[in-house]
Every structure is written in C-alpha cells, then in structure tokens.
Amino acid sequence: MSESKKVDAVDTTLVRQLADILKETELTEIEVERGDLKIKVKREITVASAPITYAAAPAPVAQTAPAAAPAPTVMPSDATTIVARAGEEVKSPMVGTAYLSPAPGTDAFVKPGDKVRKGQTLLIVEAMKTMNPITSPRDGVVAEIVVGDAQPVEFGEPLVVLEA
C-alpha cells in the first residue's frame, strides 16, 4: 500500500473520539493499535504560576513595647513542623510543584468544604514538565488544603485532608 493511501485510511472519527477521551479523563496521552495502524494522540498542559504581589508595609507607629513578628505564611513541608490532622491525608506520590487550579487565573479544582467523588481531581503536581492529576481516593469532603499554589512538594507530603 502506498504511503498516501495509508494516510487516507486513517479514521478521523477515531482520532476525534480519542481526543475527546483525553479531555474527559484529563489524560495527556492515549495510543491505539489496530494491525499495522498505530494512532497516538497527545495534548500538552501548560501551567504557569500566578504572579506574586506584595503589599506595601504600613507606616511605623510609635509603640512602647516591641511588636511580635508576624507568623510566616510558608506552608510546612518537613516532618518536624507538620502537625497531626483529623481525616485522611492525600499525599503527594512524587516530588514536584503543586498547582491548585488547571491554569493561572482559573478557579481551584477544589476548596475546603467541597464534596468530592472518588477519582475527582483535587490538584495537580508538575514533575519533569508533566502535569499529574492528584485524585481523590474516595468520596468525602475537603477538610483542608495543606499546600499552597505553586508550592514545591516532596514525596509523601500531605496535600489535602479529606473527611467522611
């Protein structure tokens, strides 16, 4: 069979169905083989972190006693600063960067108080330029989101806490 006839024999309906499956399942790649025909459909997900803005420091106020320094807003990631949480922790399966929304400026996948279903995407962890959806292991309610957006995470680090 000539090369042009092979190209003409590609089932465009199948390719469109595979692309739809990628969108529905949040997969990044799918491959189908039928005899000598091999079709691979890929999509790339790009997530950029939102710009960080800082507020100007307030004007100094005269005080008689030194003020306590504000608590840092950095999320803990080492074992010595992580406290026990009520509920089931969904932990990072890899080292990477956690993103709470599919793209900058869009709503987060979930927020505290949301009811989630088993398999629902809670957040994504980027590792080696690949976006990996982190899904709920069961039905439940999001009690706490432990990590911040665009925060580096370690293997086994708690990301989200689920309650029944």
Side-chain angles (χ1 to χ4, degrees), residues 62-136:
Q63 298 180 8
T64 56
T73 57
V74 176
M75 303 299 288
S77 61
D78 61 76
T80 59
T81 59
I82 295 175
V83 296
R85 295 175 178 87
E88 178 182 353
E89 293 178 336
V90 178
K91 297 181 179 186
S92 180
M94 64 196 72
V95 174
T97 303
Y99 293 101
L100 303 181
S101 62
T106 61
D107 290 337
F109 288 106
V110 295
K111 50 191 178 306
D114 284 356
K115 291 182 181 179
V116 294
R117 308 274 314 167
K118 180 178 181 176
Q120 179 178 342
T121 300
L122 302 172
L123 53 91
I124 55 179
V125 173
E126 176 192 12
M128 298 177 61
K129 306 247 188 242
T130 302
M131 301 301 162
N132 302 284
I134 307 302
T135 59
S136 178

Side-chain angles (χ1 to χ4, degrees), residues 12-67:
T12 57
T13 305
L14 175 60
V15 173
R16 290 182 195 278
Q17 289 173 340
L18 293 173
D20 289 340
I21 290 171
L22 286 179
K23 288 179 190 173
E24 292 170 8
T25 61
E26 298 182 16
L27 292 172
T28 56
E29 183 177 316
I30 191 167
E31 186 175 330
V32 173
E33 290 186 49
R34 290 186 179 165
D36 291 340
L37 178 65
K38 184 176 184 179
I39 299 174
K40 181 186 274 188
V41 180
K42 287 178 151 184
R43 72 179 177 129
E44 288 194 24
I45 301 174
T46 304
V47 175
S49 62
I52 299 173
T53 56
Y54 296 95
V61 177
Q63 298 180 8
T64 56

Side-chain angles (χ1 to χ4, degrees), residues 75-77 85 92 98-100 123-125 144-154 157-160:
M75 303 299 288
S77 61
R85 295 175 178 87
S92 180
Y99 293 101
L100 303 181
L123 53 91
I124 55 179
V125 173
E144 179 182 1
I145 299 174
V146 182
V147 295
D149 192 39
Q151 176 183 331
V153 294
E154 297 292 327
E157 180 176 341
L159 304 171
V160 176

